[in-house]
Amino acid sequence: MAEEKQHHRLFHHKNKEEEGGPVDHKKKVKHHSHLQKIGELGAVAAGAYALHEKHKAKKDPENAHKHKIKQEIAAVAAVGAGGFAFHEHHQKKEAKKEKKAAEKGRHH
């Protein structure tokens, strides 16, 4: 039993980069582009919700404090999602550079 290999992860997927195998650069660019779009959509949605709560705070003075807190949380979420989109944009640019470098090395 001591000779058996124990796995500590829930899933046993291997990353192609960790294996040392070929990396699909086109897939990597597409992946980061997709995550960038998700981040942008999250920022827009959270911003819209913040504006909605701002409007509710004006219309409902009894619960204005509660709406202000929700507005602040939504604004922070919007900034975070925007930061994530920005991060993924730079990851996408880096993946494009890697793709270009790999294509240069492939041609004889």
Side-chain angles (χ1 to χ4, degrees):
M1 193 157 46
E3 295 174 22
E4 290 181 24
K5 198 174 191 182
Q6 291 189 359
H7 299 284
H8 296 286
R9 294 184 183 169
L10 185 60
F11 299 104
H12 304 291
H13 298 283
K14 293 183 180 176
N15 190 350
K16 285 189 177 181
E17 289 181 27
E18 290 175 3
E19 289 180 356
V23 178
D24 188 358
H25 295 286
K26 186 176 179 182
K27 196 173 192 179
K28 200 172 182 182
V29 170
K30 190 174 181 181
H31 172 72
H32 288 297
S33 181
H34 179 73
L35 289 179
Q36 178 186 354
K37 294 288 183 190
I38 289 173
E40 290 169 356
L41 288 173
V44 169
Y49 185 71
L51 289 175
H52 169 73
E53 286 299 327
K54 183 177 181 179
H55 176 73
K56 276 193 162 189
K58 285 183 181 179
K59 295 293 180 184
D60 186 12
E62 287 182 13
N63 297 315
H65 182 68
K66 180 175 80 171
H67 292 299
K68 286 278 189 184
I69 290 171
K70 287 183 178 181
Q71 175 192 349
E72 293 283 328
I73 291 170
V76 169
V79 170
F84 177 72
F86 186 71
H87 167 75
E88 287 301 324
H89 173 72
H90 284 283
Q91 292 289 326
K92 181 179 73 173
K93 282 175 51 176
E94 189 176 303
K96 280 184 178 180
K97 283 182 184 177
E98 289 175 8
K99 179 183 172 187
K100 193 173 183 178
E103 287 174 356
K104 275 187 179 178
R106 203 177 291 162
H107 296 295
H108 296 282

